Amino acid sequence: NENEPVDPNKHDDNNRKFTLLHWAVLCAQPPACINNLINQGYDIDAISRKGMKALDYAAGFGHTAIVTTLLAH
């Protein structure tokens, strides 16, 4: 239903168990976008199917500005 609130920590349906925050990090969205998601309630400690947090992916892909943003929270 379009009027129901969105669960910010709902995982995707493709078995990766990524949240929107995981996807934003993987797609190297700007730090302002990452901050926005966190401020809206997206869990920085959410774990993917592979046991990785958004910070793990940011560090693994060398997204240093995103790493700094995540560590600030």
Side-chain angles (χ1 to χ4, degrees), residues 25-37:
V25 168
L26 289 167
C27 295
Q29 293 300 302
C33 176
I34 305 298
N35 267 325
N36 220 2
L37 292 172

Side-chain angles (χ1 to χ4, degrees), residues 8-71:
N9 295 302
K10 182 181 183 313
H11 292 104
D12 60 14
D13 294 328
N14 63 9
N15 292 326
R16 290 187 184 118
K17 291 187 67 179
F18 288 164
T19 65
L20 187 56
L21 183 60
H22 282 108
W23 281 114
V25 168
L26 289 167
C27 295
Q29 293 300 302
C33 176
I34 305 298
N35 267 325
N36 220 2
L37 292 172
I38 295 167
N39 291 336
Q40 290 179 39
Y42 286 82
D43 184 5
I44 62 171
D45 294 320
I47 304 291
S48 73
R49 183 177 58 84
K50 292 186 177 185
M52 296 178 69
K53 299 178 183 180
L55 179 61
D56 299 318
Y57 288 110
F61 285 102
H63 302 317
T64 55
I66 296 174
V67 169
T68 301
T69 300
L70 292 168
L71 288 174

